[in-house]
Every structure is written in C-alpha cells, then in structure tokens.
Amino acid sequence: MNRERAWAALCGLALGAALPARGAPPPDDPGLDPAEQAALAAALQADAATVEDAVHPAPVVVAAGAGSSNPDISLVLDTAGAWFSDAPAQLGGHDPNRTGFVLQQLEMNVVSNVDPFFRFEANIVFAEFGVEVEEAYATSLALPGNLQLRAGQFLTRFGRLNPTHPHAWDFVDQPLVNGKFFGSEGSRGLGAEVSWLSPLPWYAELAGALTNAHNACCARSFYGGDDLGVEDPRDLLATLTLKQFFDLSRTWGLKVGLSTQLGPNPTGQGNRTDIYGADLYLRYRDPGSRGALSLQVEGMVRSRQAPDDRLQDAGGYAQLVWDIDPEWGVGARYEYVSGVEDDPLDPAWATARQRASAQVTWWPSHFSRLRLQGNHDRLPDRDDPLWGAMLALEVVVGAHGAHGY
Amino acid sequence: MRALLLALICGALPLAAHARLEVVATLPDLAALAREVGGDAVAVTALVDPNEDPHYVDPKPSLVLPLNRADLLIVNGLELEVGWLPPLQVAARNGNIQTGADGYFDASSVVDRLNVPGGKVDRAQGDIHPGGNPHFVFDPRAAARIATALGDRMARLDPTHAEQYRANAKALHDRLDDLAERERARFAALPAAQRQVVIYHDSLPYLADWLGLTPVAFVEPRPGIPPTPPHVAKVLQRMKKAEARVILQEAFYPKKTSETLARLAGGRVVVLEGGARFGAGDTYSARITRVAEAIHAALSR
C-alpha cells in the first residue's frame, strides 16, 4: 500500500490533495510515460504486499553519539484521542480513559552501564497527574554461577506483558486481568530479584523477587493502599517465575512461562493472596523477511483468604498479531475475567467481564506508529455493551534501548 | 528415573575447562573470519542468519546460550546490532563479553569508516548511523584489518595458541589484500560509465569504494524509508540519463521495485548475498569473490 493511501485510510484526512496524485505528473516531472508509471506503481504495491520485509518487533533504536559517556536517553510520547459509548471503565493507568484527548504517558528511559559489574536503567513517567519513577534499578552483569541480581524499583517478571512498558505493547490498553489482579500500573515494587540461567541445553531461567507488598497502583491484591509494615519476611511479596524458550525450527519460536506471586493481604493477620499464572508466546518469522505472526496467551488464577471466606477468580487474554510489512500490522485480542460476589476490592464485579479488541497499526518509520483500536466490552454491572475507539500516536526520540523477545 | 534426569542435567553442563576458545560473532561474515583466524583452537557461533537483515534480528532467548558461554564476542558495531544485541548481552550474565571487556571486540574500531555524518544527526534524514555507515564487511580491505586485529585479540585471550592465531591472521590478511587488489584492478579496466550503479539501501558505500562503482541513485528515498512512486520515477529518470544498467541490493529487501526499474531501464538486478553461508563451511573470501564476480558479470553484459 502506498503512503498516500495510508494517510487516507487511517486518518481520513484530505492529505491526499497535498501529495502528488497517482497518475498526475509530480511537481518535478520525470517525464515518464503512463505505462512506465503504472509498472512502477504496481511493483511498489507488490513489494509492500509481500510479507517480505518488515516488522518492527517494537519501535527501535539508535544509541547515543559515539565517544559520549552520557547514558542513552530516550523519550516516548503516547497520546490518544478516544471515544466511549458510555462511562469508560478502563483499568490501566496509561489507558485512554475518557472521550476526548488523553496524554497516556511521556516516558523518559535512561540506560547505561555503570561499571563492569552493573547496568543502570530507569523509566520516569510524566503523566497528566505528575511525575513518577516507574522503574529505577541496577542489574548485575558478571555474577558467578549464571546468577543475576536486580535491585531497586522494578516491574516484577510475572507473566509476559507485566514486565514490559506500554510502548512495547501491541494494543493501546492494558489487559483487564493485569489491571484487576495487579493494579493500574501492573505488578511492580521496591525490592530485589535473583535470577539464574540454567545449564540446560535450551533456555530456562528461574527468577525470584521480594518486593514491598503495599501500593495501590501495583500490588492491589496484596496490601494495596495499606502499608501494614514488615514484621516477618512473609509480609513481603514474593514473585517466582520460570521462563523457557524453544527454537521449534528456523522460523518458529515458542516461549513459555510459569509465574506465581505470594503475599499478605490486609483483611486480617496471616491472610494471604496467591496468584498463579501461565503464559505462552508462539512466533513465526522467516529470518529472511521482516513480517511476523505471533500468538500470545496469558492466564492467571487468584485465591484470597478474606476474614471468613476464600475468594477465587481467574482471568486471561489471547491475542494474535500479524505484522504484515514494514508499515502495517493488525491484531485481535479476546479477554475474559471472572467475578466474585461481594468482592471487597471490586464490589461491582460479581460475574464475568469479557472484552474483544481489534487494532490496525501503521508505522511511518521505526520511530513512530499510529494505531486505531476498537473495543467491545461486556461489563458485569451494565446491561449494554461498552464500545470504545482509540486513535493513538506514539513517537520515540533519542537513544532508545532494544526490546526483548 | 532420577538418575536419568541427573545424567541429562550433568551431560548438559558446560565442561569446566573447555579446550577451545568459545567465539560468538553477530554477522556470519565476522564468524567466517574468526574461524579462519582461530582455526581448530576456537569454536565459532554466528548469531545472524546470512539471509537476515542484521538491523532486525529477533532477540530469541536461545541466542543467550552461546553468549553465556562465550570467551569472545565479535560485533560489527556502529549501532548495527543496537536494536537487538544489548538485552541479550545483559541476559548472558557473562562478564567476559560486556562492552569494554577484553572479550568484547568491536570490528568497527579497526576499519576506516565511511559516511560519518558531520554536524547534527537528525532522524528526519532517515535511519542513519551517527558513527558512520556500518556495512564495511562488503570490503575485503576492511576484513583484512579485522583479521589482523582478531589475531591479536585471540592471542591475548588464549596465549597458548598465540603464534597460531597471529600466523593465521597474517596469512588471511595477505590473501584478502591480494583478492581486493585483483578485483579492484579488474573493475578499473571497465570504462567509468559502465561502473555506474543504482543501490537499494545505502548499505554499499564500502563495496562501491573498493570496486570503484559510482552510485547514481538509491531506490529508498532515505535510509530505512520504503520507496514512494515519485521517488522511484526520479530513480528511473536518473538511471536512463546516466545510462546506469545495474541495480544492487541485498537479499532481504523486496525485489519487485528493483526488477521493474531494471526492466524499464533495460538493465538487471544483482541480489547480493547477505553474508557468508557460515553454517555450510563457506569462507569470507569465497563469498566476497562471488559478490564481485556477480557484479562484474552484470556490469560487463
């Protein structure tokens, strides 16, 4: 698809008029005959249509000027216009959550090796309500025994989506299950993590972290907004994960993860919350092309000891994303999260909530993307479905680090 | 059952004192050079497939495993691998190969760089590399210098085989310099007008410099930005005006536009291999000779 059509399709703007129309001679007429022009146009379309050449696994990269000892600093701007058919009920802290315009976030990412032993990384987020140190941590580079240490404030490695930032996500908003179980900002906290790369012949990595169990944004199934202090190691939040990767063939890769999070909740002395999760990422990509197809599925179950009761719920999502060529990608996602009668955290969430989403993405370059997403949301406490539409623009400037698989 | 499991795990444990120097190179061309320099004293792994665009590599977790074991990591540098290598390097938990360590070898540090932007780098210019154009493996003169530096680095990491590394490196350096000079002279025998080419992505300035080719146009309007109809029309006009007949591109770029341009201008497309077929025992000299041969044949038709 050519650039003019891209604008027309996505924005519905009359920009086509400003660009040379097809068939008409461009401003500096190269003097080609119509047959030559038609042949070139057809060839361009054929190239754009091949799954050959293209995908941006995520908007990428370029590091700081050679010879500079400054950290790599980048800024990611996520801004959107949204419409909802009724009062919005988005759960993610960076989701478009009103009809009108939204600053999802302005993220400043700072990365640098500290010395031969540590690497530093920080994500500082500027939002409509202020500034927040979302992550700031040091990672060891050369511990013996295949061990690695991480300390500071970080997103825990529970599941597949949680450890990543909005601009590595394929959809504009956060999955419902992450918002309900972890909080608007996902599962993160101050603490320390030890991970170990096993000597098995395939990739298998174990990680265990201890973080503070309080914070309304990021540990809502645990102490949440109530800081009840730490009298015992069991008053901290423990996260354990096992991640494995299998090269199924030259083109197919499979990553699977098992996660659990165990910690105290504020409903009474010794009351605990357990969350268990499993995730799967199946990706097809021919190394000779840049197109890719990926299936991502994540599910979790939660069990909370409340004063007189044990509350159990579950949720998850499945998404299929097709990166067609360097400029275009599409995706679909389905989510299901069960409810609990008289849930003290979510009193209105008595039965299951389901949401279906579809998105189209256009990348003008590796450093910008425009996404149009539609949501169909079935809420437990509403009779009519909630419809939503978002047009989100993301731009990345500066030396932005690479993303994981 | 338990014994079987234990045997499996132990069998997989890397040998504590491996005899050979473990070398990991990002590009297959660099891996091929490392194997010639290291000979049987090294075990070499390439992370990138010869057909793969080295700007866009999936950072598969399985790539962490060779990096975890590596004594020496060879990178192209100039930010060619910046989109995928750094997280793998961190995940490798291997102090030997972190940036700046003795086991980290940046090939770009020993070559003469081309297209180093003067002044401010602005991404409105496209995806350009602030340190200079990174695609120097297309020039055997650069490869010769890399071979020599690799010999020194391997000698430092593994002194018991120092003589062997330096001798192999010297021999390879001389072979590559001879090859470079021979091909350069062969191309110089063609009239200058016949040495004009169109290039798909601005990835071949080193090749053009070595073989005395003159690029008259690029199919991409700016590096990394896909071609547009008005730009391609201009490319065709320039091809016709300059009577350039040959379009050069690497295998991982789309081919229809180039093929159509070639047809309309009465020329042909030469698709260059992305790198040595390292896994199949290919050598750098053999691969770069094939590249020169294919271009020479197309230019002299």
Side-chain angles (χ1 to χ4, degrees), chain A residues 35-105:
Chain A
E36 287 178 326
Q37 294 200 10
L40 288 174
L44 282 161
Q45 286 208 20
D47 277 347
T50 45
V51 180
E52 267 198 350
D53 227 66
V55 160
H56 308 251
V60 219
V61 184
V62 158
S68 156
S69 67
N70 291 330
D72 288 350
I73 298 177
S74 63
L75 290 167
V76 181
L77 172 67
D78 284 293
T79 184
W83 166 85
F84 293 92
S85 65
D86 198 351
Q90 299 282 86
L91 300 186
H94 303 292
D95 294 356
N97 55 357
R98 70 167 81 99
T99 293
F101 294 99
V102 190
L103 172 65
Q104 290 181 264
Q105 63 158 5

Side-chain angles (χ1 to χ4, degrees), chain A residues 36 53 195 205 247 366 398, chain B residues 56 62 93 123 240 252 257:
Chain A
E36 287 178 326
D53 227 66
S195 61
E205 187 195 20
D247 260 320
H366 320 315
Chain B
Y56 297 96
S62 49
R93 298 162 167 79
R123 282 200 195 136
K240 286 178 163 176
F252 40 75
T257 306

Side-chain angles (χ1 to χ4, degrees), chain B residues 10-243:
Chain B
C10 296
L13 284 170
L15 297 173
H18 50 223
R20 297 203 287 179
L21 194 72
E22 293 278 345
V23 178
V24 174
T26 55
L27 304 186
D29 280 336
L30 297 172
L33 291 172
R35 187 161 55 195
E36 283 198 68
V37 172
D40 53 13
V42 302
V44 185
T45 308
L47 299 182
V48 179
D49 194 278
N51 303 315
E52 196 166 8
D53 183 344
H55 298 90
Y56 297 96
V57 175
D58 268 355
K60 290 187 194 176
S62 49
L63 300 180
V64 167
L65 303 181
L67 289 169
N68 174 253
R69 293 189 300 265
D71 300 304
L72 173 61
L73 168 63
I74 304 168
V75 304
N76 181 88
L78 297 178
E79 303 188 351
L80 185 66
E81 300 100 340
V82 75
W84 55 275
L85 186 63
L88 296 174
Q89 238 178 311
V90 173
R93 298 162 167 79
N94 182 352
N96 296 336
I97 55 144
Q98 299 303 326
T99 309
D102 268 357
Y104 176 87
F105 178 83
D106 179 345
S108 71
S109 64
V110 300
V111 304
D112 291 329
R113 303 166 186 188
L114 297 179
N115 296 5
V116 182
K120 183 167 166 51
V121 171
D122 190 310
R123 282 200 195 136
Q125 299 162 280
D127 188 3
I128 65 168
H129 296 262
N133 191 298
H135 305 281
F136 49 77
V137 288
F138 276 106
D139 183 349
R141 299 168 302 180
R145 299 172 77 154
I146 294 166
T148 301
L150 266 182
D152 289 342
R153 186 62 70 93
M154 288 179 185
R156 188 170 357 143
L157 293 172
D158 177 18
T160 49
H161 296 99
E163 285 314 305
Q164 176 187 341
Y165 296 140
R166 290 215 172 87
N168 287 350
K170 170 96 177 55
L172 178 57
H173 182 115
D174 294 348
R175 275 204 306 281
L176 290 171
D177 266 355
D178 289 349
L179 187 164
E181 180 48 32
R182 196 170 59 240
E183 292 293 342
R184 198 202 56 74
R186 190 155 75 109
F187 276 73
L190 295 171
Q194 217 172 320
R195 280 185 268 123
Q196 299 183 109
V197 292
V198 169
I199 296 174
Y200 188 89
H201 175 85
D202 187 10
S203 52
L204 304 173
Y206 297 90
L207 182 78
D209 184 61
W210 163 41
L211 297 176
L213 308 175
T214 310
V216 297
F218 298 99
V219 180
E220 287 183 338
R222 288 167 198 182
I225 306 289
T228 57
H231 177 74
V232 174
K234 262 188 258 172
V235 173
L236 180 57
Q237 184 198 25
R238 262 187 243 162
M239 279 184 84
K240 286 178 163 176
K241 198 166 157 214
E243 296 187 5

Side-chain angles (χ1 to χ4, degrees), chain A residues 31-370:
Chain A
L32 302 183
D33 67 46
E36 287 178 326
Q37 294 200 10
L40 288 174
L44 282 161
Q45 286 208 20
D47 277 347
T50 45
V51 180
E52 267 198 350
D53 227 66
V55 160
H56 308 251
V60 219
V61 184
V62 158
S68 156
S69 67
N70 291 330
D72 288 350
I73 298 177
S74 63
L75 290 167
V76 181
L77 172 67
D78 284 293
T79 184
W83 166 85
F84 293 92
S85 65
D86 198 351
Q90 299 282 86
L91 300 186
H94 303 292
D95 294 356
N97 55 357
R98 70 167 81 99
T99 293
F101 294 99
V102 190
L103 172 65
Q104 290 181 264
Q105 63 158 5
L106 171 63
E107 177 190 307
M108 183 164 79
N109 178 258
V110 182
V111 183
S112 179
N113 282 345
V114 176
D115 53 27
F117 314 110
F118 289 105
R119 182 172 178 83
F120 167 87
E121 185 156 347
N123 291 290
I124 296 159
V125 169
F126 303 77
E128 289 180 23
F129 51 81
V131 180
E132 183 177 36
V133 179
E134 204 162 74
E135 288 193 288
Y137 58 83
T139 308
S140 74
L141 293 175
L143 281 188
N146 279 349
L147 292 168
Q148 190 156 59
L149 182 73
R150 200 155 69 117
Q153 167 133 316
F154 51 83
L155 289 157
T156 69
R157 308 218 297 167
F158 194 108
R160 175 147 183 95
L161 185 114
N162 187 69
T164 61
H165 287 259
H167 95 104
W169 299 352
D170 294 305
F171 288 82
V172 179
D173 48 13
Q174 188 192 41
L176 295 171
V177 69
N178 293 61
K180 189 185 188 194
F181 287 10
F182 302 134
S184 59
E185 301 274 342
S187 166
R188 68 170 153 86
L190 271 165
E193 175 195 86
V194 177
S195 61
W196 178 62
L197 180 67
S198 87
L200 291 167
W202 69 91
Y203 177 88
E205 187 195 20
L206 267 173
L210 283 177
T211 49
N212 288 340
H214 66 87
N215 224 335
C217 69
C218 336
R220 76 189 299 265
S221 296
F222 302 93
Y223 279 163
D226 307 316
D227 181 3
L228 300 184
V230 180
E231 291 169 2
D232 186 282
R234 282 168 56 83
D235 294 338
L236 292 166
L237 181 55
T239 308
L240 296 169
T241 59
L242 169 65
K243 299 191 193 269
Q244 298 185 83
F245 175 80
F246 304 95
D247 260 320
L248 301 180
S249 71
R250 192 170 151 273
T251 47
W252 288 92
L254 174 67
K255 195 174 181 192
V256 290
L258 293 172
S259 313
T260 180
Q261 199 160 58
L262 311 168
N265 73 45
T267 59
Q269 186 69 36
N271 283 352
R272 312 280 299 167
T273 297
D274 305 340
I275 305 177
Y276 297 92
D279 59 271
L280 173 152
Y281 182 67
L282 180 65
R283 179 173 169 87
Y284 171 86
R285 185 191 160 193
D286 185 326
S289 89
R290 275 162 51 201
L293 186 67
S294 55
L295 172 70
Q296 180 168 328
V297 183
E298 202 166 340
M300 10 186 144
V301 294
R302 174 174 69 164
S303 167
R304 285 168 289 164
Q305 183 65 53
D308 326 304
D309 215 354
R310 199 153 185 92
L311 309 178
Q312 295 197 306
D313 53 355
Y317 67 89
Q319 67 180 48
L320 190 65
V321 173
W322 180 25
D323 293 311
I324 303 165
D325 65 23
E327 294 180 88
W328 290 94
V330 292
R333 179 182 68 185
Y334 169 74
E335 302 176 75
Y336 177 95
V337 185
S338 74
V340 175
E341 287 287 358
D342 301 320
D343 186 334
L345 277 180
D346 299 289
W349 203 320
T351 57
R353 179 172 174 181
Q354 296 181 69
R355 186 167 71 178
S357 312
Q359 59 94 349
V360 181
T361 302
W362 175 48
W363 287 275
S365 80
H366 320 315
F367 308 106
S368 57
R369 65 173 165 173
L370 195 57

